[in-house]
Amino acid sequence: MAEQEPSEQRREHRQRVLKGASILTGISNSEVKCTIRNMHKNGAELKVSIDAHVPQEFLLYVPVDGIGYEATVRWRKQDRIGVQFTGTRPKPSWHYG
C-alpha cells in the first residue's frame, strides 16, 4: 500500500483530541497501546510506538468512550496511522480495561 499524506485523503474535518486507546487484534488477545490525536465519526489519526506491529484491520477500544471501533488502516507514516471506522462492537470480554 502506498503511503499518502493524511491531507490528500481527508474528506472530513477531524476534531483534535487526546485519548488513550488500545488496538486489539484478537491474535493471542494482543493489545497495542496508542493515543488518538484527532477523530471524526468515520475515522481517526493514531499515534503508536514506531516499532509497534499494527495489522491492517483491528478493533480500536477507547475506554473513555466505552466503544470498540472496527478500524481499517488507510495510511501509515512513521509513528502515525490513519484509520477508517467500519463499525462498532462491545469491548471483548478478555480485555481488562
Side-chain angles (χ1 to χ4, degrees):
M1 180 163 87
E3 285 189 12
Q4 297 178 352
E5 286 295 322
S7 59
E8 293 176 18
Q9 291 292 320
R10 191 168 300 154
R11 294 184 185 116
E12 298 184 47
H13 175 71
R14 290 184 175 175
Q15 178 181 352
R16 292 185 75 79
V17 297
L18 189 60
K19 296 180 181 179
S22 296
I23 295 169
L24 308 177
T25 66
I27 301 168
S28 301
N29 298 340
S30 178
E31 174 180 13
V32 175
K33 295 288 189 182
C34 66
T35 302
I36 302 173
R37 297 190 60 209
N38 54 56
M39 184 175 196
H40 62 80
K41 68 179 182 170
N42 294 317
E45 178 184 335
L46 311 178
K47 182 174 172 70
V48 298
S49 170
I50 200 155
D51 59 350
H53 174 69
V54 177
Q56 189 63 27
E57 295 181 348
F58 55 86
L59 185 69
L60 178 68
Y61 179 62
V62 185
V64 71
D65 294 346
I67 297 174
Y69 298 94
E70 294 173 347
T72 300
V73 174
R74 301 294 289 165
W75 58 265
R76 299 173 190 251
K77 184 169 182 176
Q78 298 175 348
D79 64 345
R80 297 182 305 147
I81 298 175
V83 297
Q84 178 179 3
F85 298 144
T86 58
T88 59
R89 283 194 279 163
K91 177 182 75 70
S93 59
W94 57 265
H95 188 263
Y96 58 88

